[in-house]
Amino acid sequence: EHITSTEHALMLLRQFQATLQRESLKDDLESKFLVIFQNYGVDLETVQRLYEKQKVSPPTVRNSPPVTGNVMWARQLMRRIERPMEQFKENPALMATKESKKLIKVYNKIARTIVEFETLWHLAWTKGIEAAKSGLQATLLVRHPNTGRLHVNFDREILQLLRETKCLMRMGQEVPESAKMVLAQEEKFKLHFNLLSHAISEYERVMKGIMPIAEPLLKP
């Protein structure tokens, strides 16, 4: 009565199943399996409602990049319905009932929707890799239009690409070779950024010690 999840309920039944051998008790356990499977239908409805409610702006892990956050959310929903279904499938008698076939159809529909959601996010990111890489061709140093100060022009899209690639690879997600090639150069990018930032700082330090009349001669 106090079991809090389908997965937990199945785990407890498996433990009893391994120890109880009497036929009467086995029949009782089978009836419990059926009850849990019926309650699993409520889990499916809950996940479906959550998906529809949150799909536009899913709750994501703090500081996770957008694609990774959406993929993680989709996989969490998928785990909630997939793990119990894998255990139910180990019970052929349960799977043969008329009611189970209805629930399986509902499960397949929800699972397909969640997988498509993840696939679309991953596909959109893959298509945007080349556009993000174009930032590597940008001018390295630029002047601020208002202050005239020099800045290192390191495209934020490259940083985002690096973060997404690392996070998705940790999750076991396939990433294109082009993204892996950019990631392989991460340390080089950081080194160049730091060297250029230091050069700008030194330039500004030196310029502060120059007499105003001589400044125009030293400007790049």
Side-chain angles (χ1 to χ4, degrees), residues 99-159:
E99 185 174 352
S100 69
K101 291 177 181 178
K102 292 180 181 178
L103 280 181
I104 289 171
K105 286 183 179 179
V106 175
Y107 167 84
N108 288 338
K109 180 182 177 182
I110 298 172
R112 183 166 57 250
T113 301
I114 295 173
V115 170
E116 286 175 354
F117 175 90
E118 177 181 335
T119 301
L120 287 173
W121 268 95
H122 185 259
L123 184 61
W125 174 72
T126 300
K127 289 182 176 180
I129 289 175
E130 292 305 317
K133 284 174 60 181
S134 66
L136 294 173
Q137 310 302 321
T139 304
L140 290 176
L141 296 177
V142 294
R143 283 192 178 277
H144 192 281
N146 298 324
T147 65
R149 293 185 62 185
L150 285 170
H151 292 274
V152 181
N153 187 29
F154 191 64
D155 197 328
R156 291 185 179 275
E157 290 295 320
I158 298 298
L159 292 175

Side-chain angles (χ1 to χ4, degrees), residues 1-3 5-7 9-10 13 26-44 84 88 91 93-95 97 99-100 103:
E1 295 177 15
H2 301 287
I3 290 172
S5 72
T6 299
E7 198 169 358
L10 285 169
L13 274 187
K26 285 184 178 181
D27 291 341
D28 188 46
L29 285 174
E30 287 299 321
S31 67
K32 292 291 192 298
F33 266 115
L34 182 58
V35 171
I36 294 172
F37 189 60
Q38 291 169 343
N39 290 337
Y40 174 66
V42 177
D43 291 346
L44 292 176
F88 288 133
N91 190 323
L94 181 64
M95 290 290 97
T97 64
E99 185 174 352
S100 69
L103 280 181

Side-chain angles (χ1 to χ4, degrees), residues 154-196:
F154 191 64
D155 197 328
R156 291 185 179 275
E157 290 295 320
I158 298 298
L159 292 175
Q160 190 79 292
L161 175 58
L162 291 169
R163 290 183 65 211
E164 292 284 14
T165 303
K166 283 191 286 188
C167 291
L168 290 172
M169 288 178 68
R170 287 195 198 107
M171 294 170 62
Q173 180 72 52
E174 281 294 322
V175 300
E177 285 301 318
S178 55
K180 292 179 183 178
M181 289 174 64
V182 175
L183 181 60
Q185 301 178 76
E186 181 180 16
E187 292 305 316
K188 183 179 75 174
F189 296 150
K190 288 180 179 178
L191 175 62
H192 289 175
F193 178 84
N194 291 333
L195 288 174
L196 287 170

Side-chain angles (χ1 to χ4, degrees), residues 207 210-220:
M207 289 298 292
I210 300 299
M211 295 180 63
I213 194 172
E215 283 186 6
L217 300 175
L218 298 175
K219 287 184 177 180

